[in-house]
Amino acid sequence: MEGERERAKDEIYGSWGSSFRYLFNFKAEMELRSPGSIVEVDTKITKGKVYFHRFFMALKPCVDGFHAGCRPYLSIDSTALNGKWNGHLAACTALDGHNWMFPLAFGFIEVEDEDNWTWFMTQLHRALGPISKLAICTDACKGLENAVKKVFPQAEQRECFRHLMQNFS
């Protein structure tokens, strides 16, 4: 019964392997339709096979909007994903002139560790370019904290008050 269900899903939605290959088509299409956008698909090789490792995307209009009308403030966090791929959805938002959240970039990382956060922050820095004055707000995750110090050493680091209170509880 389970095999039939998987075959039916593959028939309707496509296979897991083919969806991985579509990521590279998606990257090429985004770069064609939105020049200047940063779309990175990172892979790893295990036992001679290529596997998805992590993903990053910052659309050029979002980056331009940040530079044109947002405060020099970034909020970065991630949330766990549960499903066939158990990783984390990482996101970076800014604040616009009305104090509304302004989406800037997102990505998928396997785990919240220093290596993945450094990779994410490096892609973000590549998308934004140098910024002289910047405040970055994160949770207390050591990997993210260290990555911010490494990639944005001039930035003022702040800890999210909600996460701080949650840690006290």
Side-chain angles (χ1 to χ4, degrees), residues 38-70:
I38 305 293
V39 181
E40 284 300 323
V41 179
D42 191 35
T43 60
K44 63 182 175 181
I45 299 173
T46 306
K47 296 180 182 175
K49 288 191 168 192
V50 179
Y51 292 95
F52 172 77
H53 189 212
R54 47 200 176 188
F55 175 87
F56 176 89
M57 185 164 82
L59 296 174
K60 180 78 163 101
C62 293
V63 172
D64 290 347
F66 170 74
H67 286 297
C70 288

PDB file of all heavy atoms in Angstrom, residues 38-70:
ATOM      1  N   ILE A  38      20.446  37.141  -6.055  1.00  0.00           N
ATOM      2  CA  ILE A  38      21.398  36.118  -5.627  1.00  0.00           C
ATOM      3  C   ILE A  38      20.604  34.861  -5.303  1.00  0.00           C
ATOM      4  O   ILE A  38      19.769  34.861  -4.390  1.00  0.00           O
ATOM      5  CB  ILE A  38      22.200  36.564  -4.375  1.00  0.00           C
ATOM      6  CG1 ILE A  38      22.893  37.900  -4.610  1.00  0.00           C
ATOM      7  CG2 ILE A  38      23.167  35.471  -3.946  1.00  0.00           C
ATOM      8  CD1 ILE A  38      23.998  37.881  -5.625  1.00  0.00           C
ATOM      9  N   VAL A  39      20.840  33.812  -6.064  1.00  0.00           N
ATOM     10  CA  VAL A  39      20.212  32.517  -5.828  1.00  0.00           C
ATOM     11  C   VAL A  39      21.335  31.490  -5.813  1.00  0.00           C
ATOM     12  O   VAL A  39      22.029  31.324  -6.813  1.00  0.00           O
ATOM     13  CB  VAL A  39      19.175  32.161  -6.923  1.00  0.00           C
ATOM     14  CG1 VAL A  39      18.526  30.824  -6.627  1.00  0.00           C
ATOM     15  CG2 VAL A  39      18.126  33.253  -7.060  1.00  0.00           C
ATOM     16  N   GLU A  40      21.518  30.850  -4.679  1.00  0.00           N
ATOM     17  CA  GLU A  40      22.587  29.860  -4.551  1.00  0.00           C
ATOM     18  C   GLU A  40      22.013  28.514  -4.127  1.00  0.00           C
ATOM     19  O   GLU A  40      21.233  28.443  -3.177  1.00  0.00           O
ATOM     20  CB  GLU A  40      23.624  30.306  -3.514  1.00  0.00           C
ATOM     21  CG  GLU A  40      24.544  31.388  -3.999  1.00  0.00           C
ATOM     22  CD  GLU A  40      25.356  30.996  -5.222  1.00  0.00           C
ATOM     23  OE1 GLU A  40      25.783  29.828  -5.335  1.00  0.00           O
ATOM     24  OE2 GLU A  40      25.555  31.871  -6.079  1.00  0.00           O
ATOM     25  N   VAL A  41      22.398  27.477  -4.850  1.00  0.00           N
ATOM     26  CA  VAL A  41      22.069  26.101  -4.493  1.00  0.00           C
ATOM     27  C   VAL A  41      23.392  25.424  -4.182  1.00  0.00           C
ATOM     28  O   VAL A  41      24.242  25.293  -5.059  1.00  0.00           O
ATOM     29  CB  VAL A  41      21.347  25.365  -5.650  1.00  0.00           C
ATOM     30  CG1 VAL A  41      21.038  23.931  -5.250  1.00  0.00           C
ATOM     31  CG2 VAL A  41      20.084  26.104  -6.065  1.00  0.00           C
ATOM     32  N   ASP A  42      23.581  25.020  -2.945  1.00  0.00           N
ATOM     33  CA  ASP A  42      24.825  24.387  -2.523  1.00  0.00           C
ATOM     34  C   ASP A  42      24.587  22.886  -2.390  1.00  0.00           C
ATOM     35  O   ASP A  42      23.560  22.460  -1.845  1.00  0.00           O
ATOM     36  CB  ASP A  42      25.287  24.984  -1.196  1.00  0.00           C
ATOM     37  CG  ASP A  42      26.694  24.564  -0.827  1.00  0.00           C
ATOM     38  OD1 ASP A  42      27.529  24.425  -1.737  1.00  0.00           O
ATOM     39  OD2 ASP A  42      26.955  24.379   0.368  1.00  0.00           O
ATOM     40  N   THR A  43      25.524  22.116  -2.887  1.00  0.00           N
ATOM     41  CA  THR A  43      25.403  20.662  -2.849  1.00  0.00           C
ATOM     42  C   THR A  43      26.568  20.059  -2.081  1.00  0.00           C
ATOM     43  O   THR A  43      27.563  20.723  -1.823  1.00  0.00           O
ATOM     44  CB  THR A  43      25.389  20.076  -4.270  1.00  0.00           C
ATOM     45  OG1 THR A  43      26.599  20.431  -4.935  1.00  0.00           O
ATOM     46  CG2 THR A  43      24.194  20.569  -5.067  1.00  0.00           C
ATOM     47  N   LYS A  44      26.409  18.805  -1.730  1.00  0.00           N
ATOM     48  CA  LYS A  44      27.513  18.061  -1.136  1.00  0.00           C
ATOM     49  C   LYS A  44      27.560  16.694  -1.803  1.00  0.00           C
ATOM     50  O   LYS A  44      26.544  16.182  -2.279  1.00  0.00           O
ATOM     51  CB  LYS A  44      27.385  17.951   0.377  1.00  0.00           C
ATOM     52  CG  LYS A  44      26.178  17.188   0.871  1.00  0.00           C
ATOM     53  CD  LYS A  44      26.149  17.185   2.388  1.00  0.00           C
ATOM     54  CE  LYS A  44      24.871  16.532   2.883  1.00  0.00           C
ATOM     55  NZ  LYS A  44      24.793  16.532   4.332  1.00  0.00           N
ATOM     56  N   ILE A  45      28.742  16.122  -1.853  1.00  0.00           N
ATOM     57  CA  ILE A  45      28.928  14.822  -2.485  1.00  0.00           C
ATOM     58  C   ILE A  45      29.196  13.797  -1.387  1.00  0.00           C
ATOM     59  O   ILE A  45      30.085  13.976  -0.554  1.00  0.00           O
ATOM     60  CB  ILE A  45      30.084  14.855  -3.502  1.00  0.00           C
ATOM     61  CG1 ILE A  45      29.750  15.867  -4.608  1.00  0.00           C
ATOM     62  CG2 ILE A  45      30.344  13.473  -4.075  1.00  0.00           C
ATOM     63  CD1 ILE A  45      30.866  16.117  -5.593  1.00  0.00           C
ATOM     64  N   THR A  46      28.385  12.755  -1.380  1.00  0.00           N
ATOM     65  CA  THR A  46      28.531  11.666  -0.427  1.00  0.00           C
ATOM     66  C   THR A  46      28.537  10.356  -1.202  1.00  0.00           C
ATOM     67  O   THR A  46      27.584  10.074  -1.934  1.00  0.00           O
ATOM     68  CB  THR A  46      27.373  11.675   0.597  1.00  0.00           C
ATOM     69  OG1 THR A  46      27.297  12.951   1.202  1.00  0.00           O
ATOM     70  CG2 THR A  46      27.560  10.604   1.661  1.00  0.00           C
ATOM     71  N   LYS A  47      29.616   9.608  -1.056  1.00  0.00           N
ATOM     72  CA  LYS A  47      29.772   8.317  -1.746  1.00  0.00           C
ATOM     73  C   LYS A  47      29.542   8.457  -3.246  1.00  0.00           C
ATOM     74  O   LYS A  47      28.854   7.641  -3.862  1.00  0.00           O
ATOM     75  CB  LYS A  47      28.843   7.266  -1.148  1.00  0.00           C
ATOM     76  CG  LYS A  47      29.154   6.931   0.293  1.00  0.00           C
ATOM     77  CD  LYS A  47      28.218   5.883   0.845  1.00  0.00           C
ATOM     78  CE  LYS A  47      28.546   5.636   2.305  1.00  0.00           C
ATOM     79  NZ  LYS A  47      27.597   4.720   2.942  1.00  0.00           N
ATOM     80  N   GLY A  48      30.069   9.531  -3.825  1.00  0.00           N
ATOM     81  CA  GLY A  48      29.985   9.743  -5.256  1.00  0.00           C
ATOM     82  C   GLY A  48      28.657  10.287  -5.757  1.00  0.00           C
ATOM     83  O   GLY A  48      28.501  10.516  -6.950  1.00  0.00           O
ATOM     84  N   LYS A  49      27.689  10.518  -4.882  1.00  0.00           N
ATOM     85  CA  LYS A  49      26.392  11.053  -5.288  1.00  0.00           C
ATOM     86  C   LYS A  49      26.258  12.502  -4.838  1.00  0.00           C
ATOM     87  O   LYS A  49      26.713  12.875  -3.762  1.00  0.00           O
ATOM     88  CB  LYS A  49      25.248  10.225  -4.695  1.00  0.00           C
ATOM     89  CG  LYS A  49      25.096   8.865  -5.325  1.00  0.00           C
ATOM     90  CD  LYS A  49      23.801   8.241  -4.872  1.00  0.00           C
ATOM     91  CE  LYS A  49      23.514   7.024  -5.710  1.00  0.00           C
ATOM     92  NZ  LYS A  49      22.151   6.557  -5.513  1.00  0.00           N
ATOM     93  N   VAL A  50      25.606  13.313  -5.652  1.00  0.00           N
ATOM     94  CA  VAL A  50      25.394  14.734  -5.355  1.00  0.00           C
ATOM     95  C   VAL A  50      24.062  14.890  -4.624  1.00  0.00           C
ATOM     96  O   VAL A  50      23.036  14.401  -5.090  1.00  0.00           O
ATOM     97  CB  VAL A  50      25.394  15.579  -6.650  1.00  0.00           C
ATOM     98  CG1 VAL A  50      25.142  17.042  -6.342  1.00  0.00           C
ATOM     99  CG2 VAL A  50      26.703  15.402  -7.401  1.00  0.00           C
ATOM    100  N   TYR A  51      24.109  15.567  -3.489  1.00  0.00           N
ATOM    101  CA  TYR A  51      22.917  15.798  -2.678  1.00  0.00           C
ATOM    102  C   TYR A  51      22.741  17.285  -2.413  1.00  0.00           C
ATOM    103  O   TYR A  51      23.702  18.031  -2.317  1.00  0.00           O
ATOM    104  CB  TYR A  51      23.031  15.077  -1.327  1.00  0.00           C
ATOM    105  CG  TYR A  51      22.998  13.581  -1.438  1.00  0.00           C
ATOM    106  CD1 TYR A  51      24.180  12.851  -1.493  1.00  0.00           C
ATOM    107  CD2 TYR A  51      21.793  12.888  -1.485  1.00  0.00           C
ATOM    108  CE1 TYR A  51      24.159  11.469  -1.595  1.00  0.00           C
ATOM    109  CE2 TYR A  51      21.764  11.513  -1.583  1.00  0.00           C
ATOM    110  CZ  TYR A  51      22.947  10.807  -1.636  1.00  0.00           C
ATOM    111  OH  TYR A  51      22.915   9.448  -1.742  1.00  0.00           O
ATOM    112  N   PHE A  52      21.476  17.684  -2.234  1.00  0.00           N
ATOM    113  CA  PHE A  52      21.153  19.051  -1.832  1.00  0.00           C
ATOM    114  C   PHE A  52      21.729  19.297  -0.441  1.00  0.00           C
ATOM    115  O   PHE A  52      21.630  18.459   0.445  1.00  0.00           O
ATOM    116  CB  PHE A  52      19.630  19.242  -1.806  1.00  0.00           C
ATOM    117  CG  PHE A  52      19.203  20.557  -1.224  1.00  0.00           C
ATOM    118  CD1 PHE A  52      19.310  21.718  -1.961  1.00  0.00           C
ATOM    119  CD2 PHE A  52      18.708  20.629   0.062  1.00  0.00           C
ATOM    120  CE1 PHE A  52      18.924  22.941  -1.422  1.00  0.00           C
ATOM    121  CE2 PHE A  52      18.313  21.839   0.612  1.00  0.00           C
ATOM    122  CZ  PHE A  52      18.415  22.990  -0.137  1.00  0.00           C
ATOM    123  N   HIS A  53      22.334  20.475  -0.237  1.00  0.00           N
ATOM    124  CA  HIS A  53      22.887  20.814   1.072  1.00  0.00           C
ATOM    125  C   HIS A  53      22.194  22.042   1.655  1.00  0.00           C
ATOM    126  O   HIS A  53      21.687  22.005   2.756  1.00  0.00           O
ATOM    127  CB  HIS A  53      24.397  21.027   0.955  1.00  0.00           C
ATOM    128  CG  HIS A  53      25.090  21.164   2.264  1.00  0.00           C
ATOM    129  ND1 HIS A  53      26.199  21.955   2.421  1.00  0.00           N
ATOM    130  CD2 HIS A  53      24.841  20.642   3.484  1.00  0.00           C
ATOM    131  CE1 HIS A  53      26.597  21.897   3.684  1.00  0.00           C
ATOM    132  NE2 HIS A  53      25.792  21.114   4.343  1.00  0.00           N
ATOM    133  N   ARG A  54      22.168  23.147   0.879  1.00  0.00           N
ATOM    134  CA  ARG A  54      21.549  24.371   1.377  1.00  0.00           C
ATOM    135  C   ARG A  54      21.217  25.300   0.212  1.00  0.00           C
ATOM    136  O   ARG A  54      21.718  25.124  -0.889  1.00  0.00           O
ATOM    137  CB  ARG A  54      22.429  25.053   2.407  1.00  0.00           C
ATOM    138  CG  ARG A  54      23.865  25.181   2.005  1.00  0.00           C
ATOM    139  CD  ARG A  54      24.780  25.408   3.189  1.00  0.00           C
ATOM    140  NE  ARG A  54      26.162  25.427   2.734  1.00  0.00           N
ATOM    141  CZ  ARG A  54      27.191  25.459   3.522  1.00  0.00           C
ATOM    142  NH1 ARG A  54      27.029  25.491   4.831  1.00  0.00           N
ATOM    143  NH2 ARG A  54      28.415  25.485   3.051  1.00  0.00           N
ATOM    144  N   PHE A  55      20.372  26.288   0.507  1.00  0.00           N
ATOM    145  CA  PHE A  55      19.832  27.172  -0.520  1.00  0.00           C
ATOM    146  C   PHE A  55      19.743  28.581   0.058  1.00  0.00           C
ATOM    147  O   PHE A  55      19.466  28.759   1.238  1.00  0.00           O
ATOM    148  CB  PHE A  55      18.430  26.675  -0.906  1.00  0.00           C
ATOM    149  CG  PHE A  55      17.692  27.559  -1.874  1.00  0.00           C
ATOM    150  CD1 PHE A  55      17.863  27.411  -3.231  1.00  0.00           C
ATOM    151  CD2 PHE A  55      16.815  28.533  -1.416  1.00  0.00           C
ATOM    152  CE1 PHE A  55      17.174  28.221  -4.128  1.00  0.00           C
ATOM    153  CE2 PHE A  55      16.123  29.342  -2.302  1.00  0.00           C
ATOM    154  CZ  PHE A  55      16.308  29.180  -3.658  1.00  0.00           C
ATOM    155  N   PHE A  56      19.946  29.580  -0.810  1.00  0.00           N
ATOM    156  CA  PHE A  56      19.829  30.984  -0.413  1.00  0.00           C
ATOM    157  C   PHE A  56      19.217  31.772  -1.559  1.00  0.00           C
ATOM    158  O   PHE A  56      19.552  31.531  -2.725  1.00  0.00           O
ATOM    159  CB  PHE A  56      21.209  31.572  -0.090  1.00  0.00           C
ATOM    160  CG  PHE A  56      21.170  33.042   0.232  1.00  0.00           C
ATOM    161  CD1 PHE A  56      20.975  33.468   1.534  1.00  0.00           C
ATOM    162  CD2 PHE A  56      21.314  33.994  -0.770  1.00  0.00           C
ATOM    163  CE1 PHE A  56      20.924  34.828   1.834  1.00  0.00           C
ATOM    164  CE2 PHE A  56      21.271  35.348  -0.478  1.00  0.00           C
ATOM    165  CZ  PHE A  56      21.071  35.761   0.829  1.00  0.00           C
ATOM    166  N   MET A  57      18.337  32.729  -1.234  1.00  0.00           N
ATOM    167  CA  MET A  57      17.790  33.602  -2.267  1.00  0.00           C
ATOM    168  C   MET A  57      17.522  34.995  -1.706  1.00  0.00           C
ATOM    169  O   MET A  57      16.888  35.146  -0.662  1.00  0.00           O
ATOM    170  CB  MET A  57      16.491  33.042  -2.843  1.00  0.00           C
ATOM    171  CG  MET A  57      15.981  33.877  -4.015  1.00  0.00           C
ATOM    172  SD  MET A  57      14.746  33.059  -5.026  1.00  0.00           S
ATOM    173  CE  MET A  57      13.292  33.344  -4.072  1.00  0.00           C
ATOM    174  N   ALA A  58      18.046  35.991  -2.414  1.00  0.00           N
ATOM    175  CA  ALA A  58      17.765  37.405  -2.140  1.00  0.00           C
ATOM    176  C   ALA A  58      17.444  38.040  -3.491  1.00  0.00           C
ATOM    177  O   ALA A  58      18.311  38.132  -4.361  1.00  0.00           O
ATOM    178  CB  ALA A  58      18.951  38.095  -1.494  1.00  0.00           C
ATOM    179  N   LEU A  59      16.193  38.434  -3.670  1.00  0.00           N
ATOM    180  CA  LEU A  59      15.785  39.033  -4.940  1.00  0.00           C
ATOM    181  C   LEU A  59      16.275  40.475  -5.025  1.00  0.00           C
ATOM    182  O   LEU A  59      16.246  41.218  -4.039  1.00  0.00           O
ATOM    183  CB  LEU A  59      14.273  38.975  -5.085  1.00  0.00           C
ATOM    184  CG  LEU A  59      13.678  37.572  -5.166  1.00  0.00           C
ATOM    185  CD1 LEU A  59      12.159  37.632  -5.163  1.00  0.00           C
ATOM    186  CD2 LEU A  59      14.183  36.844  -6.401  1.00  0.00           C
ATOM    187  N   LYS A  60      16.711  40.873  -6.196  1.00  0.00           N
ATOM    188  CA  LYS A  60      17.251  42.219  -6.427  1.00  0.00           C
ATOM    189  C   LYS A  60      16.268  43.316  -6.017  1.00  0.00           C
ATOM    190  O   LYS A  60      16.676  44.291  -5.365  1.00  0.00           O
ATOM    191  CB  LYS A  60      17.668  42.358  -7.901  1.00  0.00           C
ATOM    192  CG  LYS A  60      18.244  43.704  -8.263  1.00  0.00           C
ATOM    193  CD  LYS A  60      19.679  43.850  -7.808  1.00  0.00           C
ATOM    194  CE  LYS A  60      20.386  44.972  -8.504  1.00  0.00           C
ATOM    195  NZ  LYS A  60      20.488  46.182  -7.717  1.00  0.00           N
ATOM    196  N   PRO A  61      14.967  43.198  -6.344  1.00  0.00           N
ATOM    197  CA  PRO A  61      14.039  44.255  -5.900  1.00  0.00           C
ATOM    198  C   PRO A  61      13.973  44.392  -4.370  1.00  0.00           C
ATOM    199  O   PRO A  61      13.812  45.498  -3.858  1.00  0.00           O
ATOM    200  CB  PRO A  61      12.691  43.813  -6.464  1.00  0.00           C
ATOM    201  CG  PRO A  61      13.041  42.967  -7.637  1.00  0.00           C
ATOM    202  CD  PRO A  61      14.305  42.258  -7.254  1.00  0.00           C
ATOM    203  N   CYS A  62      14.117  43.287  -3.663  1.00  0.00           N
ATOM    204  CA  CYS A  62      14.124  43.352  -2.194  1.00  0.00           C
ATOM    205  C   CYS A  62      15.384  44.045  -1.692  1.00  0.00           C
ATOM    206  O   CYS A  62      15.326  44.876  -0.778  1.00  0.00           O
ATOM    207  CB  CYS A  62      14.009  41.952  -1.596  1.00  0.00           C
ATOM    208  SG  CYS A  62      12.414  41.167  -1.909  1.00  0.00           S
ATOM    209  N   VAL A  63      16.518  43.706  -2.279  1.00  0.00           N
ATOM    210  CA  VAL A  63      17.785  44.335  -1.894  1.00  0.00           C
ATOM    211  C   VAL A  63      17.733  45.829  -2.204  1.00  0.00           C
ATOM    212  O   VAL A  63      18.116  46.664  -1.372  1.00  0.00           O
ATOM    213  CB  VAL A  63      18.975  43.649  -2.599  1.00  0.00           C
ATOM    214  CG1 VAL A  63      20.269  44.421  -2.362  1.00  0.00           C
ATOM    215  CG2 VAL A  63      19.110  42.206  -2.123  1.00  0.00           C
ATOM    216  N   ASP A  64      17.240  46.177  -3.395  1.00  0.00           N
ATOM    217  CA  ASP A  64      17.117  47.597  -3.765  1.00  0.00           C
ATOM    218  C   ASP A  64      16.179  48.333  -2.814  1.00  0.00           C
ATOM    219  O   ASP A  64      16.452  49.472  -2.420  1.00  0.00           O
ATOM    220  CB  ASP A  64      16.620  47.737  -5.205  1.00  0.00           C
ATOM    221  CG  ASP A  64      17.663  47.304  -6.224  1.00  0.00           C
ATOM    222  OD1 ASP A  64      18.845  47.133  -5.855  1.00  0.00           O
ATOM    223  OD2 ASP A  64      17.285  47.126  -7.409  1.00  0.00           O
ATOM    224  N   GLY A  65      15.065  47.693  -2.454  1.00  0.00           N
ATOM    225  CA  GLY A  65      14.114  48.296  -1.515  1.00  0.00           C
ATOM    226  C   GLY A  65      14.730  48.524  -0.147  1.00  0.00           C
ATOM    227  O   GLY A  65      14.482  49.540   0.497  1.00  0.00           O
ATOM    228  N   PHE A  66      15.556  47.585   0.279  1.00  0.00           N
ATOM    229  CA  PHE A  66      16.257  47.743   1.564  1.00  0.00           C
ATOM    230  C   PHE A  66      17.152  48.975   1.527  1.00  0.00           C
ATOM    231  O   PHE A  66      17.112  49.818   2.425  1.00  0.00           O
ATOM    232  CB  PHE A  66      17.080  46.489   1.883  1.00  0.00           C
ATOM    233  CG  PHE A  66      18.000  46.662   3.057  1.00  0.00           C
ATOM    234  CD1 PHE A  66      17.500  46.684   4.348  1.00  0.00           C
ATOM    235  CD2 PHE A  66      19.364  46.813   2.870  1.00  0.00           C
ATOM    236  CE1 PHE A  66      18.348  46.854   5.442  1.00  0.00           C
ATOM    237  CE2 PHE A  66      20.221  46.979   3.950  1.00  0.00           C
ATOM    238  CZ  PHE A  66      19.711  47.003   5.241  1.00  0.00           C
ATOM    239  N   HIS A  67      17.957  49.094   0.481  1.00  0.00           N
ATOM    240  CA  HIS A  67      18.880  50.230   0.380  1.00  0.00           C
ATOM    241  C   HIS A  67      18.138  51.554   0.202  1.00  0.00           C
ATOM    242  O   HIS A  67      18.607  52.590   0.684  1.00  0.00           O
ATOM    243  CB  HIS A  67      19.857  50.025  -0.780  1.00  0.00           C
ATOM    244  CG  HIS A  67      20.906  48.995  -0.496  1.00  0.00           C
ATOM    245  ND1 HIS A  67      21.837  49.120   0.501  1.00  0.00           N
ATOM    246  CD2 HIS A  67      21.160  47.803  -1.091  1.00  0.00           C
ATOM    247  CE1 HIS A  67      22.623  48.066   0.527  1.00  0.00           C
ATOM    248  NE2 HIS A  67      22.234  47.242  -0.427  1.00  0.00           N
ATOM    249  N   ALA A  68      16.987  51.523  -0.466  1.00  0.00           N
ATOM    250  CA  ALA A  68      16.274  52.765  -0.766  1.00  0.00           C
ATOM    251  C   ALA A  68      15.402  53.275   0.384  1.00  0.00           C
ATOM    252  O   ALA A  68      15.190  54.482   0.491  1.00  0.00           O
ATOM    253  CB  ALA A  68      15.400  52.570  -2.011  1.00  0.00           C
ATOM    254  N   GLY A  69      14.887  52.381   1.228  1.00  0.00           N
ATOM    255  CA  GLY A  69      13.920  52.887   2.190  1.00  0.00           C
ATOM    256  C   GLY A  69      13.816  52.167   3.514  1.00  0.00           C
ATOM    257  O   GLY A  69      12.866  52.410   4.257  1.00  0.00           O
ATOM    258  N   CYS A  70      14.753  51.305   3.831  1.00  0.00           N
ATOM    259  CA  CYS A  70      14.679  50.595   5.111  1.00  0.00           C
ATOM    260  C   CYS A  70      15.714  51.117   6.095  1.00  0.00           C
ATOM    261  O   CYS A  70      16.726  51.698   5.702  1.00  0.00           O
ATOM    262  CB  CYS A  70      14.896  49.094   4.907  1.00  0.00           C
ATOM    263  SG  CYS A  70      13.495  48.272   4.122  1.00  0.00           S
TER     264      CYS A  70
END
